Amino acid sequence: MEGIKFNKIGVSFKGSGSYVPDQILTNQKISQKVDTSDEWIKTRTGISERRISGLGCNVTDMGYEAALNAIAMANWDIKTVDLIILATSTPHDLFGSAPSIQHKLGAYNAVAFDLTAACSGFLFALITASQFLKGGSFKRAVVIGADQLSSFVDWNDRRSCILFGDGAGAIAIEATNEFDNVIGFEMKTDGERGSFLNLPFKNDKDSIIDNIDFLRGGFSPIQMNGQEVYKFAVKEVPIILKKLFKTTNYSSERVDWLVLHQANQRILDSVGDKLKIPREKILSNLEKYGNTSAATIPLMIDEAIRNNKIKQHDIIATSGFGAGLSWGAALIKWG
Ligand code: ACO
């Protein structure tokens, strides 16, 4: 980064991409491992199956495929990409996986780094990248959301293991001085309620020599208070979206699509009801993929674009929410 290079004022959406691993884990198969049923999972969450990445398919691989698809849709020369932000809580390398994606893509002119904000990660990364573009530092950015929570789920805990799956999505955005299609955004964090959802460090004490202790690296499986996370989502997401509509002078009637973090169909429906957004405008694909954390929003947007649902100039209200606790919303116009 070398300071301000371009005199740009806005952001344009140029492409989307996604990737999910081949392995399908159905509810029925989960019920062979823990005491649950297809009917319970479907009724309580809307999820039927999820994808699980096996050996040879990690966050870097999934993020790379999603980014490649987004760049192809944008029709960009790879060397013109200036910025790659990978939103993930499950990097293949704790020092960061975005540089590996940059290398695999051959995007040697791009600065690349990871950003962690759990299920709000993609939204926070999109806002971060758009601020760089609007500030004039970069022209072209690829924002990726990719997660492999299957590696951190306790597959014996029926209260949480039913929810999560693996996948990646990406969006290609470009600075422009003609308009701004990031109409507005809001971001929030509440660390006080952070204990509702954690993927904590293990705290395995060991000693190096004599009385010099250290903590061995490693993480415990996901710990979740599902009911509290649920209550948080159905309360805070409508509030933040209503605030966003107010500050941008938009109303929910002007929204073509509501793209929420795909956590639970009941959360999607409840938020839609509170905002008086009809069901046919609420995009959902969690039946097939479950909660893929930072990947859900770009995975959903990419599917809707490729299915010709989201069209040029459609208005999308989007919100990510989850661990932290963190949550945010953005109002965007596609194109
Ligand atoms: N199968 C069968 N029974 C189950 C299961 C299961 N998989 N899981 C829980 N139960 C039982 C419970 O033991 C309980 O039984 P009891 O009444 O005898 O004690 C009963 O079902 C009801 O349990 P609840 O926890 O009240 O179920 P709820 O309706 O709240 O659904 C769920 C649980 C699906 C986890 C819901 O709370 C939820 O979706 N919460 C949000 C979680 C979420 O989205 N987390 C991710 C956030 S994003 C991120 O940052 C990663």
Side-chain angles (χ1 to χ4, degrees):
M1 190 179 149
E2 296 156 20
I4 294 176
K5 293 184 206 158
F6 313 101
N7 185 21
K8 306 292 180 195
I9 55 152
V11 171
S12 168
F13 289 80
K14 295 300 207 183
S16 66
S18 59
Y19 180 82
V20 289
D22 293 335
Q23 288 193 107
I24 297 175
L25 179 64
T26 61
N27 292 346
Q28 205 272 330
K29 281 187 192 153
I30 291 188
S31 71
Q32 292 167 12
K33 183 155 176 73
V34 291
D35 183 14
T36 189
S37 65
D38 178 44
E39 205 218 326
W40 193 97
I41 302 172
K42 260 196 209 143
T43 329
R44 299 285 179 125
T45 70
I47 300 164
S48 291
E49 56 189 46
R50 66 289 290 144
R51 301 300 178 100
I52 306 292
S53 49
L55 212 59
C57 176
N58 58 47
V59 156
T60 306
D61 304 314
M62 294 191 291
Y64 160 74
E65 296 289 348
L68 199 63
N69 292 338
I71 292 164
M73 190 188 282
N75 208 9
W76 287 348
D77 177 343
I78 202 82
K79 290 190 247 13
T80 65
V81 177
D82 302 302
L83 171 68
I84 297 168
I85 305 183
L86 169 67
T88 187
S89 304
T90 54
H92 189 54
D93 181 337
L94 273 186
F95 288 152
S97 288
S100 304
I101 296 178
Q102 181 244 30
H103 174 60
K104 278 183 95 160
L105 288 168
Y108 296 114
N109 294 319
V111 62
F113 58 89
D114 290 15
L115 182 152
T116 301
C119 297
S120 309
F122 177 79
L123 195 84
F124 282 20
L126 180 68
I127 293 163
T128 304
S130 71
Q131 294 300 103
F132 274 117
L133 264 51
K134 288 188 205 190
S137 305
F138 300 114
K139 190 163 193 281
R140 289 182 165 172
V142 180
V143 185
I144 308 164
D147 263 311
Q148 188 178 347
L149 283 180
S150 64
S151 302
F152 298 95
V153 159
D154 177 353
W155 288 104
N156 293 308
D157 177 9
R158 69 173 185 172
R159 291 165 305 144
S160 60
C161 76
I162 53 159
L163 296 174
F164 301 107
D166 303 333
I171 303 279
I173 56 174
E174 186 171 69
T176 169
N177 52 15
E178 288 163 33
F179 51 81
D180 188 7
N181 282 348
V182 177
I183 300 161
F185 67 85
E186 298 283 340
M187 295 159 89
K188 296 274 276 184
T189 302
D190 179 4
E192 199 179 346
R193 288 185 279 173
S195 61
F196 293 164
L197 186 53
N198 303 101
L199 207 172
F201 197 72
K202 243 184 193 155
N203 284 335
D204 274 351
K205 202 175 111 182
D206 205 338
S207 67
I208 303 168
I209 189 167
D210 300 331
N211 55 355
I212 307 289
D213 296 335
F214 76 104
L215 297 176
R216 200 165 275 292
F219 294 86
S220 302
I222 292 171
Q223 294 162 13
M224 185 183 75
N225 182 334
Q227 287 185 358
E228 289 298 341
V229 175
Y230 188 94
K231 280 192 266 177
F232 144 72
V234 297
K235 178 169 179 241
E236 300 291 359
V237 176
I239 291 175
I240 202 164
L241 279 163
K242 277 181 190 163
K243 186 168 176 225
L244 180 62
F245 291 144
K246 202 168 169 197
T247 53
T248 54
N249 262 331
Y250 268 69
S251 63
S252 54
E253 292 94 76
R254 284 181 70 188
V255 166
D256 295 299
W257 305 106
L258 181 63
V259 182
L260 300 179
H261 166 52
Q262 309 278 299
N264 184 321
Q265 189 60 46
R266 290 190 293 142
I267 295 177
L268 270 56
D269 294 343
S270 165
V271 173
D273 290 348
K274 285 185 179 165
L275 295 170
K276 299 194 171 55
I277 294 180
R279 295 280 154 93
E280 60 273 17
K281 288 187 175 182
I282 305 172
L283 295 181
S284 171
N285 63 2
L286 55 70
E287 185 183 7
K288 291 183 288 181
Y289 305 125
N291 177 346
T292 55
S293 195
T296 65
I297 292 174
L299 189 57
M300 185 66 254
I301 289 179
D302 185 49
E303 184 179 298
I305 284 167
R306 286 173 198 273
N307 290 346
N308 236 0
K309 271 190 158 179
I310 295 179
K311 299 195 178 65
Q312 268 312 77
H313 308 315
D314 276 0
I315 303 290
I316 304 167
T318 180
S319 175
F321 50 89
L325 298 176
S326 62
W327 64 107
L331 195 61
I332 64 177
K333 187 192 271 191
W334 188 259

